[in-house]
Amino acid sequence: EGWLYNEDELCKDLNVPKTNLASLVLESYRRWGEGFLEKLNGAFSVCLWDSGAEVILVARDALGVFALFVLKIFFLTFWG
């Protein structure tokens, strides 16, 4: 959820058409790994599951404009 101020620049860097924010974030992760977060300029919250690496990435912008909650109960983790 959110918006990116540098969406056009990211599309150009990744050589992808401007479609939707989710696709752009996913392609950014594929290209730059966890370092893609440093390239995002905007207000957002992101949850990604990388099944190949078995990694869950949960992040939000530095100001926390969009809420992101994480709840851990024993061995279960919920986010939203």
Side-chain angles (χ1 to χ4, degrees):
E1 179 178 15
W3 62 83
L4 296 175
Y5 304 123
N6 62 336
E7 186 175 355
D8 293 335
E9 178 184 331
L10 288 172
C11 288
K12 183 179 176 185
D13 290 348
L14 295 166
N15 196 28
V16 297
K18 188 174 178 179
T19 55
N20 62 55
L21 190 59
S23 296
L24 183 57
V25 168
L26 184 57
E27 186 59 35
S28 296
Y29 175 72
R30 286 180 181 150
R31 176 78 57 90
W32 297 304
E34 291 180 20
F36 87 99
L37 291 168
E38 297 172 7
K39 299 184 180 289
L40 302 184
N41 178 11
F44 57 88
S45 60
V46 176
C47 296
L48 291 174
W49 164 246
D50 184 337
S51 60
E54 294 188 1
V55 171
I56 297 173
L57 186 127
V58 181
R60 69 177 186 181
D61 63 280
L63 296 177
V65 174
F66 287 89
L68 181 61
F69 301 98
V70 177
L71 172 66
K72 187 166 186 167
I73 303 173
F74 300 110
F75 59 91
L76 299 174
T77 303
F78 304 91
W79 63 86

